[in-house]
Amino acid sequence: MNTQQLLQESERSRKALLSILEDQKRTEVNLRKSEAYNRLLFNSSPIGLVLCKMDGSLVDVNPAYANLLGRTVEETLKLSYWDITPKKYADQEKQQLKSLDETGKYGPYEKEYIHKDGHLVPVRLHGLIFEQEGERFIWSSVEDIAERKLAEERETRLGHILDESLNEIYIFDATTLKFIEVNRSARANLGYSIDELRKMTPLDLKPEFTLQSFNELVSPLRTGEQELIVFETIHRRKNGSDYQVEVHLQCSTYEAKSVFIAIILDITERKRAEEEIKLTNKELETINKIIASATSTFDLKLILEKVMDEALNVVGLEGGTICLINPDNTFELAVEKGATQETIDDLTNNKIKVGDCLCGNCAKECKPLILQTKEEVLDYATREVLRGEDIRFHAAFPFVVEKKCVGVLCVFTRTDKKPSERNLKLLESIVAQTAIAIENSRLYEEVKKHTLQLEHIVSERTAELQSANKELEAFSYSVSHDLRAPLRAIDGFSLALLEDYSDKLDNEGKHHLQRVRNGATEMAQLIDDLLNLSRISRRELTRGSVDMSKIVKSITDKLNSSEPDRKAVFNIADNIHAAGDSNLLKIVMKNLLNNAWKFTSKKKNATIEFGVLETEGKTVYYIKDNGVGFDMKYADKLFSPFQRLHRKEDYPGTGIGLATVRRIILKHGGSIWAESELGKGAAFYFTV
């Protein structure tokens, strides 16, 4: 090969080399661009991407993966795969590694990662083996499935709530009305399976609705005028039976569809209870009418007429009678409604006795007699008039007072109509109430009779008392006038002897004359006290507010003035008032204070106290002293006339004062008592 050829070959080689170098350079540029693009895709991927060694060391992770763990990329790369995997997944991880060895890939499968703050993050993984320079790596994609898990949990929880609800719950398409979901309670009550129901609409369950009427009902929900409608209707079960329901219906969205959600309450028991309440209220109203009638009057005729009307209204029959039982065990017709004249005459003229015919058998057995058929009536009927009346139902109820029958109420019909068992029970209650009214009316008549007798007796006794009072007044006049004259004579002549013949009388004679005079004075005082006691018994009370403190102060001032040398302390409570007769209460306080003054006369430091105290809601007034006192075993004699607990020579008096006090207190509707101990004073308590 010549030089020229060598040069040409060399140039071609150079050009080929330059071309190879340029291709290599372009390849490197493209590779760098590809790597940059791949890195961009890697970093911007919303799915977590991770490259790790077979021992779990993390080689590379994208931001999405790091975010799953709540960390930065740098923080994440410092971790091992096993640092972020809960130990409970150890067995599952072994199975995935085995699959990776056998097939070169694993997953997809679900597990959880440990977040930086400690909570667990649900994820879904799948990956494959990646080899580079003789070393194997695991390349994985990781999807955050937390929201999906929440949605599944919500759906599961919703399904559980629906099925566990005791109420019936329906979800149906707002356009086609086809059922989408029907909970367990509804399926159990209706008797349909879920597959059967999904082929049906609410119109298949509600016999009273047409498509038009149902659409009109739900129109406010469709237009948004109302959020909820509530109505009552009938549901029909698969077996054809109906039950009453209350529907709560609203519009909503379910699985991207417009739907109706219906919550159904079975109100059969509630309706039954409401009906029961209505019937009970009506029954109570009827019984209350009977009670009101019985308590508003004692006229037995009016009461029994009202009872007859209410009884027929309750049972809905056309006729009835009420008969009362006389002392000789015969019946007396008291009230009738719808009875024939023949029956009325028969009951009035013939003496039907207890044990005879229908009413008589009821009274004899003392319990209701219910005859449901004409044949049963004829079996008991002994009166020809009754046997010919074609009665097809007859019920008799006894009026029982203290286990004794005092009358019978009968209701009957000549038609095939019969009252309910409930109404007959109500009638039995009415009869029980009426029995009390009958007894009360009879007691009232007896009381009226006895009252007239008592009024006659009282009138006679009043006349006798008036006559006795006149005699007492005459006696009082005689005592006041006829007895005073001899006393004045005795006192006057005794005084004359002492004055005119004192020089002719020795000391003993003068002493005897003075005793005569003292006796006359005492006798005159005794007459005055007896007259006062008599007048108090006949005197009318004039009640008002009485200032007791003022009265006591007035009396004690006079006592102090009467014996200025005595040293006595009076403790008088202020502003004490009582409701009573002022003049009579003055007599009370005067007698009690005079006694206290008298029986403390031998005390060097006498103390007399007036006050009040509250006992069992009552105001109790008292006078206390520190005088001689008395033995409590004689306390019952204190308030009797002429009874004395001390010698007359020691403490003078007539023995009438406390009897007068007691009579005034009793006249005020109060009571009086005393407490004492010999040598330690006495206390008198009283109420008005």
Side-chain angles (χ1 to χ4, degrees):
M1 182 179 293
N2 58 30
T3 303
Q4 183 65 31
Q5 289 175 327
L6 289 171
L7 289 173
Q8 289 177 348
E9 185 65 30
S10 176
E11 183 64 24
R12 283 196 297 270
S13 297
R14 186 183 66 82
K15 288 181 179 179
L17 180 59
L18 287 175
S19 177
I20 291 170
L21 290 173
E22 286 178 357
D23 288 342
Q24 185 178 1
K25 185 177 181 180
R26 281 195 297 271
T27 300
E28 288 177 355
V29 170
N30 289 335
L31 182 59
R32 284 196 296 272
K33 286 182 179 180
S34 177
E35 287 178 352
Y37 181 70
N38 288 336
R39 174 56 62 179
L40 178 64
L41 290 177
F42 179 77
N43 288 334
S44 62
S45 172
I47 297 175
L49 299 174
V50 56
L51 180 67
C52 66
K53 295 181 179 180
M54 295 301 292
D55 63 359
S57 302
L58 300 182
V59 177
D60 200 3
V61 298
N62 71 343
Y65 187 86
N67 287 337
L68 278 173
L69 305 175
R71 302 173 185 272
T72 63
V73 171
E74 291 74 15
E75 290 175 330
T76 305
L77 289 174
K78 294 177 182 179
L79 302 173
S80 165
Y81 181 79
W82 306 111
D83 294 333
I84 60 175
T85 300
K87 292 181 180 179
K88 65 181 179 180
Y89 292 104
D91 291 340
Q92 187 177 353
E93 292 295 332
K94 288 179 181 178
Q95 292 177 359
Q96 296 301 326
L97 287 173
K98 182 180 179 182
S99 174
L100 196 63
D101 284 335
E102 293 174 353
T103 64
K105 61 181 180 178
Y106 72 92
Y109 77 101
E110 294 178 4
K111 59 175 284 187
E112 291 172 313
Y113 278 161
I114 301 173
H115 193 272
K116 183 179 180 180
D117 64 11
H119 80 270
L120 299 179
V121 181
V123 293
R124 184 171 183 269
L125 303 91
H126 65 273
L128 48 82
I129 291 288
F130 175 72
E131 291 191 19
Q132 187 175 13
E133 298 178 358
E135 187 176 0
R136 295 200 305 170
F137 298 88
I138 303 173
W139 180 259
S140 303
S141 66
V142 183
E143 181 183 356
D144 184 351
I145 59 172
E147 289 188 6
R148 194 196 79 194
K149 285 290 186 181
L150 285 175
E152 290 175 354
E153 185 180 344
R154 281 197 298 269
E155 187 173 348
T156 301
R157 189 162 56 243
L158 176 61
H160 179 73
I161 291 171
L162 287 177
D163 271 349
E164 291 302 315
S165 174
L166 297 178
N167 295 322
E168 299 179 20
I169 300 176
Y170 301 78
I171 301 174
F172 55 97
D173 192 289
T175 304
T176 66
L177 302 184
K178 291 285 187 180
F179 286 121
I180 299 171
E181 295 291 342
V182 181
N183 76 335
R184 184 164 50 199
S185 292
R187 299 195 302 270
N189 204 359
L190 292 169
Y192 290 106
S193 68
I194 186 63
D195 292 333
E196 290 175 313
L197 286 166
R198 283 175 177 161
K199 299 174 184 177
M200 299 167 65
T201 72
L203 299 180
D204 296 315
L205 307 180
K206 299 174 172 59
E208 62 180 348
F209 276 106
T210 63
L211 179 59
Q212 181 180 350
S213 63
F214 186 77
N215 282 332
E216 289 174 356
L217 176 70
V218 300
S219 177
L221 293 177
R222 285 188 168 126
T223 59
E225 294 176 23
Q226 290 179 231
E227 293 183 357
L228 175 72
I229 58 173
V230 180
F231 60 95
E232 293 181 4
T233 184
I234 302 294
H235 268 193
R236 181 159 292 168
R237 298 183 179 91
K238 185 176 182 179
N239 62 13
S241 64
D242 294 337
Y243 61 102
Q244 293 177 297
V245 295
E246 181 180 272
V247 181
H248 295 245
L249 187 64
Q250 64 185 86
C251 207
S252 186
T253 302
Y254 180 77
E255 295 182 350
K257 291 181 181 179
S258 179
V259 297
F260 288 117
I261 298 176
I263 298 176
I264 309 294
L265 310 180
D266 186 340
I267 59 173
T268 305
E269 289 303 319
R270 190 181 83 188
K271 286 294 183 181
R272 187 178 293 119
E274 288 174 358
E275 189 62 30
E276 180 71 20
I277 290 171
K278 285 181 182 178
L279 290 173
T280 302
N281 286 340
K282 186 176 180 181
E283 292 170 358
L284 290 174
E285 183 181 351
T286 300
I287 292 175
N288 285 336
K289 285 180 182 178
I290 299 297
I291 294 173
S293 175
T295 55
S296 63
T297 178
F298 285 106
D299 187 327
L300 188 56
K301 179 74 173 176
L302 291 177
I303 294 173
L304 295 182
E305 285 178 351
K306 181 67 176 176
V307 170
M308 190 76 262
D309 290 340
E310 292 298 332
L312 293 178
N313 183 52
V314 166
V315 295
L317 303 181
E318 77 258 27
T321 60
I322 295 178
C323 294
L324 300 179
I325 299 175
N326 295 318
D328 62 354
N329 277 347
T330 60
F331 283 97
E332 176 185 344
L333 180 63
V335 177
E336 64 80 23
K337 295 284 183 179
T340 63
Q341 189 59 48
E342 290 79 6
T343 293
I344 295 171
D345 293 340
D346 189 40
L347 289 171
T348 304
N349 299 326
N350 298 317
K351 295 297 183 182
I352 301 169
K353 294 186 176 182
V354 172
D356 295 341
C357 207
L358 305 183
C359 295
N361 272 282
C362 173
K364 180 181 179 182
E365 297 296 328
C366 216
K367 61 183 181 181
L369 178 64
I370 313 297
L371 305 175
Q372 297 281 358
T373 64
K374 180 179 178 180
E375 290 71 23
E376 289 180 355
V377 173
L378 292 176
D379 286 342
Y380 278 88
T382 57
R383 295 182 291 113
E384 287 302 319
V385 171
L386 181 61
R387 294 180 66 83
E389 286 209 13
D390 193 28
I391 292 176
R392 302 183 183 185
F393 175 87
H394 188 283
F397 297 88
F399 297 117
V400 180
V401 177
E402 295 181 354
K403 298 183 180 181
K404 180 181 178 182
C405 182
V406 297
V408 176
L409 179 145
C410 296
V411 292
F412 58 83
T413 180
R414 300 176 184 88
T415 69
D416 291 328
K417 183 178 181 180
K418 292 179 175 60
S420 67
E421 186 68 25
R422 185 189 185 98
N423 287 342
L424 290 174
K425 287 291 183 184
L426 174 58
L427 196 55
E428 195 170 347
S429 298
I430 290 174
V431 167
Q433 293 293 331
T434 307
I436 297 172
I438 292 172
E439 183 66 10
N440 288 343
S441 179
R442 288 183 169 177
L443 288 173
Y444 173 72
E445 291 300 323
E446 289 183 14
V447 168
K448 264 183 32 176
K449 180 180 177 181
H450 289 306
T451 300
L452 290 173
Q453 292 175 349
L454 287 172
E455 287 176 354
H456 179 68
I457 293 170
V458 168
S459 178
E460 289 181 344
R461 297 291 170 81
T462 301
E464 292 174 2
L465 286 172
Q466 288 174 344
S467 176
N469 282 335
K470 287 180 180 179
E471 291 178 4
L472 284 173
E473 288 176 5
F475 173 74
S476 297
Y477 179 83
S478 173
V479 168
S480 178
H481 293 82
D482 298 345
L483 293 182
R484 286 181 188 276
L487 287 174
R488 283 196 296 271
I490 293 169
D491 185 53
F493 284 114
S494 297
L495 179 61
L497 282 171
L498 285 172
E499 291 177 349
D500 297 341
Y501 298 93
S502 61
D503 55 337
K504 297 179 180 180
L505 293 171
D506 58 12
N507 289 336
E508 187 175 356
K510 291 176 182 179
H511 175 70
H512 289 324
L513 279 175
Q514 187 59 48
R515 291 186 66 183
V516 169
R517 287 199 69 208
N518 289 343
T521 302
E522 187 177 340
M523 185 64 179
Q525 183 62 49
L526 185 59
I527 290 170
D528 288 340
D529 289 346
L530 285 172
L531 286 174
N532 284 334
L533 187 61
S534 176
R535 290 192 192 102
I536 287 168
S537 299
R538 300 193 303 274
R539 179 171 173 173
E540 292 294 329
L541 285 179
T542 304
R543 286 187 179 272
S545 179
V546 181
D547 190 335
M548 302 291 282
S549 298
K550 184 177 179 181
I551 290 174
V552 172
K553 287 177 182 177
S554 173
I555 296 170
T556 56
D557 287 345
K558 290 179 181 178
L559 290 172
N560 277 326
S561 299
S562 66
E563 296 183 58
D565 294 335
R566 278 191 62 177
K567 292 182 179 180
V569 177
F570 290 97
N571 297 320
I572 303 169
D574 294 326
N575 200 30
I576 303 300
H577 290 77
D581 188 300
S582 177
N583 292 325
L584 292 179
L585 290 178
K586 284 179 183 177
I587 295 172
V588 169
M589 300 313 295
K590 184 176 181 181
N591 276 285
L592 293 177
L593 288 166
N594 282 343
N595 276 355
W597 181 261
K598 178 169 60 177
F599 291 112
T600 57
S601 60
K602 297 180 181 180
K603 281 278 185 179
K604 291 182 179 180
N605 297 307
T607 301
I608 299 172
E609 180 183 353
F610 166 71
V612 294
L613 50 88
E614 295 292 327
T615 303
E616 296 180 355
K618 292 184 178 180
T619 301
V620 178
Y621 305 86
Y622 63 83
I623 298 288
K624 294 181 180 179
D625 65 64
N626 63 342
V628 66
F630 59 86
D631 192 336
M632 282 297 290
K633 69 181 180 180
Y634 302 116
D636 58 332
K637 296 182 178 181
L638 276 176
F639 301 103
S640 300
F642 310 116
Q643 296 292 328
R644 301 175 56 85
L645 301 185
H646 302 88
R647 291 198 318 157
K648 188 175 181 180
E649 291 79 6
D650 296 331
Y651 300 99
T654 61
I656 301 297
L658 288 179
T660 302
V661 168
R662 181 175 181 273
R663 190 160 295 184
I664 292 172
I665 295 301
L666 292 178
K667 197 171 185 70
H668 279 77
S671 59
I672 183 167
W673 65 96
E675 295 177 0
S676 181
E677 188 176 346
L678 276 173
K680 295 185 179 181
F684 286 83
Y685 302 89
F686 65 90
T687 61
V688 294

